Amino acid sequence: MSANQSRWPTNRLKMTIGRHIGNAVMDRLVSWNLVPRTVMLTTVGRRTGNKRRTPVTPVHRSGHLYLVAPYGPVGWVLNARAAGTVRLTGKIDGQQTDAEYAVQEVAPQEAGPVLKDYLEVAGAVRSYFDAPKGAPVEEFVREAHAHPVFELTRLDAG
């Protein structure tokens, strides 16, 4: 299965009125830098061309920066794949940033350790993973098809 053929996780995200309201509140909290380790991701809609904002928790591993899609191939994932770039706004490692990044989806072998690290810092999404926190990396590699992982390369000096 290629990276662009990811499948949905066993437990799927359901968009409810409550989740829409929660997302609006989270959007504001993230823009005020009140949610630790979380920044705002902006993608360009692949069909509409409109900017779409989503809070994300980047993962640092071995000197690289990654984005994890805990809910599977949702809209921001499809938009990032189509555009090849995203913008991150917020505090990364204590430094305010507003920068554009090239995205490169990684293979399951590289994604597994990133997914394991991600669950250490992003507890709210654990129910969307089959592998529990603390599981061996191999379990995360096996379910990487359901949680796309992108390596980020900063494009501007901003």
Side-chain angles (χ1 to χ4, degrees):
M1 170 176 291
S2 77
N4 288 342
Q5 295 176 319
S6 51
R7 295 180 290 192
W8 289 98
T10 304
N11 183 13
R12 292 225 11 212
L13 176 71
K14 294 174 181 67
M15 289 306 292
T16 63
I17 296 292
R19 187 166 296 274
H20 281 291
I21 293 168
N23 283 351
V25 169
M26 181 64 98
D27 181 284
R28 187 59 50 204
L29 294 173
V30 170
S31 69
W32 292 335
N33 291 317
L34 295 175
V35 182
R37 295 185 292 269
T38 301
V39 297
M40 193 56 65
L41 167 74
T42 303
T43 58
V44 176
R46 64 199 178 284
R47 294 184 188 143
T48 65
N50 295 335
K51 291 183 178 181
R52 304 288 183 190
R53 293 167 42 98
T54 306
V56 294
T57 303
V59 173
H60 287 273
R61 180 170 178 73
S62 303
H64 298 274
L65 186 63
Y66 296 91
L67 282 182
V68 172
Y71 308 118
V74 294
W76 77 257
V77 171
L78 303 177
N79 292 339
R81 284 175 178 162
T85 61
V86 299
R87 180 165 287 280
L88 294 182
T89 307
K91 284 191 177 180
I92 298 178
D93 291 335
Q95 299 292 319
Q96 187 65 33
T97 188
D98 183 7
E100 191 166 350
Y101 294 81
V103 295
Q104 177 65 47
E105 199 160 351
V106 301
Q109 284 301 116
E110 186 176 352
V114 175
L115 292 171
K116 181 176 175 66
D117 289 354
Y118 180 76
L119 275 193
E120 294 296 321
V121 297
V125 298
R126 286 191 186 117
S127 66
Y128 295 92
F129 286 79
D130 292 332
K133 177 181 174 182
V137 168
E138 295 76 27
E139 288 189 41
F140 290 97
V141 169
R142 280 195 292 275
E143 73 170 291
H145 66 276
H147 306 286
V149 174
F150 297 89
E151 183 177 0
L152 302 178
T153 305
R154 189 168 173 155
L155 295 177
D156 59 13

